[in-house]
Each structure stands twice: as C-alpha cells, then as structure tokens.
Amino acid sequence: MKLTLRIWRQSGPRDKGRLVEYEVDDISSHSSFLEMLDVLNERLIERGEAPVAFDHDCREGICGSCGMMINGMAHGPQALTATCQLHMREFQDGDVLQIEPWRSAAFPVVKDLVVNRSAFDRVIEAGGYISVSTGAAPEANLFPVAKENADAAFDAAACIGCGACVAQCPNGAAQLFTSAKAGHLGSLPQGQTERPSRAVRMVEAMEDEGFGYCSNYRECEAVCPKGISVDWIARLNRDFLKAKATGVRGDR
C-alpha cells in the first residue's frame, strides 16, 4: 500500500505545532496501524529526521495507552477497536490519512501525538477506590453478588481510560470515563458505603480538571473501544444529585 500521511508534529508543549506530510509505500495490509508508524519512523531515522512520537504499550487493546485522531475519528474508522488493534486492511491504497493527537484542554500535548492524560489519574484519586474494610480475600470470595450486578460491574470495568471519549466529544467532556469508574465500584456491595461521596468527589474532581459538560451528543459512546454505554452517565448523575440533595460533601 502507498499512503499519504499528514501527521501533527509538535516538538513540545510550547511549540505551535503543524501538520507535516509524508509519503509511505510498501505497507502491508496485514500490519497494524502502529506498525505502519514504526515503518515510517525507521525511514525518518534513516534520513536523519526525528521520528514521530506516539504512545503505546500493550498493543493488545487493553492498556489504553495508544490513542490518536485518524481522519477526525478517535482510534480510527473501525468500531470497538483501539488504535493498536487497528489494521491497515481498513484503508485503501492511495488513501490520505490525517493523524492528530487527542484535542482537549485537559489533555495538553507533550510531543507530536503524545498527550498528558494525568487528569484522568487525578479523577481516579478523588474516588475511584474502596477504602472501607472488606476483609481478606476469603471473605471477598464468600460475599454473594447478584449476577446482574456482577455483569454490570464487569461492563463498566472494561473502560481502559484511553481518553477517546474526551477527544471525540465536542465539549471535551469526561463523563463517560468518570461514570464507568464510579459505576464499576457502585455496582458491587463493597462499594455501596462510599457510593454517594464517591459520586460527589469524582464529579467535582472532573470539573476541577477543566473537562467540559455532557450535552448528550453520545460521540463518546460511538468511539469507545470497549463499548461503554452512556447509561452509566445517567446513573452517575442520579447518584450525584441524590448525594447533593442529602448534604453529602465531596471533601478530599
């Protein structure tokens, strides 16, 4: 395959950045998208040019490290697929691909396609955990959990925190990520004690980080590589409003 790549190049947070065009050929349709970028980088290094910086780790769609906008779509054109699991057979010979980093004020660009997603870490630190004593491992295994609740918790826990939901949202909202993390714990009996305060703490942390507000565009759900439903957002909103109405504070 021969492709034209228009890639966002930005040397650092203070650099203005720009799109740079590259031509690449001899790309196998069986290679992954990141392997295609590896080929480009090898050729750039051979020419004495700086390689394109991009995040990756597991390359199995489970760590959430990879992520970039491909022709305006977070993670590219294939549904329920992270960038690292995207293959070049999804594209045609001669295609022009515009590749950009996540665009959000809460995710500042570090270099090229790499953004700082530590805002997600701080939202998790605000309430994405269970601090009450739940006993040792044997007690956890003996605690009955209804299958419906276990399935719901597993669905929410599938969120890999990649940031695609924020990148695709016109408002840069992080409600899908936050609601999945809160909903995972709130679906289990061990997470009920802190459920109201968790909702307040995580929503307030999300707002402090500068994420936008949810306007029900549902773009987040459309691009989520793990198929997280916006139903979790409605659940978080209910928990948050109920907690505020009963005087629960989000002291952190």
Side-chain angles (χ1 to χ4, degrees):
M1 300 175 66
K2 182 176 181 179
L3 303 164
T4 299
L5 307 178
R6 294 174 180 161
I7 302 179
W8 185 260
R9 302 304 308 264
Q10 185 172 338
S11 62
R14 295 184 179 182
D15 182 24
K16 187 176 179 180
R18 68 199 187 285
L19 286 169
V20 178
E21 190 167 297
Y22 301 97
E23 301 284 345
V24 289
D25 54 12
D26 295 329
I27 299 297
S28 169
S29 61
H30 300 297
S31 63
S32 74
F33 196 87
L34 298 188
E35 288 170 339
M36 181 274 293
L37 290 178
D38 289 337
V39 171
L40 170 66
N41 278 343
E42 289 174 0
R43 296 174 184 176
L44 290 177
I45 292 171
E46 289 173 356
R47 298 204 299 256
E49 299 179 35
V52 178
F54 61 93
D55 264 333
H56 64 93
D57 190 6
C58 72
R59 299 203 178 198
E60 295 178 347
I62 57 175
C63 77
S65 295
C66 65
M68 55 193 75
M69 303 297 290
I70 304 170
N71 287 348
M73 291 285 292
H75 288 304
Q78 188 172 9
L80 302 175
T81 305
T83 302
C84 66
Q85 294 277 280
L86 181 66
H87 286 80
M88 296 311 297
R89 53 180 169 268
E90 299 299 322
F91 303 96
Q92 301 295 320
D93 182 46
D95 273 356
V96 178
L97 306 181
Q98 184 156 313
I99 308 169
E100 301 171 88
W102 290 161
R103 297 295 190 188
S104 168
F107 291 161
V109 174
V110 177
K111 185 177 181 180
D112 296 336
L113 306 177
V114 179
V115 299
N116 182 346
R117 291 176 294 172
S118 60
F120 270 6
D121 296 332
R122 291 186 286 275
V123 173
I124 291 295
E125 289 171 2
Y129 52 83
I130 293 175
S131 62
V132 298
S133 176
T134 57
E139 283 79 11
N141 291 330
L142 293 173
F143 209 102
V145 179
K147 186 176 187 308
E148 179 181 354
N149 294 338
D151 288 346
F154 186 84
D155 288 346
C159 171
I160 58 175
C162 62
C165 50
V166 175
Q168 195 70 35
C169 175
N171 297 335
Q175 266 83 359
L176 192 66
F177 164 79
T178 305
S179 64
K181 296 305 179 185
H184 162 214
L185 300 175
S187 297
L188 299 172
Q190 295 90 338
Q192 296 306 309
T193 302
E194 296 168 294
R195 182 171 170 175
S197 59
R198 177 183 303 113
V200 174
R201 294 197 306 270
M202 294 185 76
V203 168
E204 291 181 349
M206 180 180 65
E207 293 173 349
D208 290 346
E209 292 296 334
F211 291 108
Y213 292 94
C214 176
S215 297
N216 295 317
Y217 287 106
R218 303 186 70 163
E219 294 287 325
C220 54
E221 183 182 66
V223 299
C224 175
K226 297 302 175 183
I228 304 296
S229 169
V230 294
D231 289 348
W232 291 106
I233 298 177
R235 175 172 163 146
L236 176 64
N237 289 341
R238 287 196 300 270
D239 285 350
F240 177 78
L241 292 174
K242 187 184 296 183
K244 298 296 283 187
T246 54
V248 174
R249 299 178 57 179
D251 297 336
R252 285 176 271 151

